[in-house]
Amino acid sequence: MKTKRYFKWMFLAMLIVSTGTVTSCKDDDDDKASDELRTDPLATEDALVAQRWICALTDVSELSSSWNNKTYEATIGTASEENAHTRLVVVDDIDEARQHFADLADVETSKLAPPMS
């Protein structure tokens, strides 16, 4: 008789504890972030990287939603006479070249390899 009561109280206690600690498996924060990515094609990692490079190398100041279907013409530096796909940027020395590239790539110059001796 005592064991039946014991199991009844144990079951009731487990039921109360489990209903108090059960939470939803749905994570609302992730859903909001993924909804934003679905609605804003410029919010993706690829779009952010593309925007940095395209804006740095062309006259474009911001990307449109169909940025990945367009062709952009580089305007930085001067066109090479030897290769149509090459642009030349003239700098005074290797340190200025490293600084210029670091600014374009949005990295610190200390993360770039030191000049070879």
Side-chain angles (χ1 to χ4, degrees), residues 40-42 47 51 60 62-70 72:
D40 186 7
L42 296 176
Q51 182 169 359
V60 175
E62 62 182 54
L63 298 182
S64 66
S65 60
S66 60
W67 65 270
N68 55 342
N69 296 325
K70 294 183 177 181
Y72 299 90

Side-chain angles (χ1 to χ4, degrees), residues 39 53 64 83 101:
T39 59
W53 283 102
S64 66
N83 187 339
F101 180 79

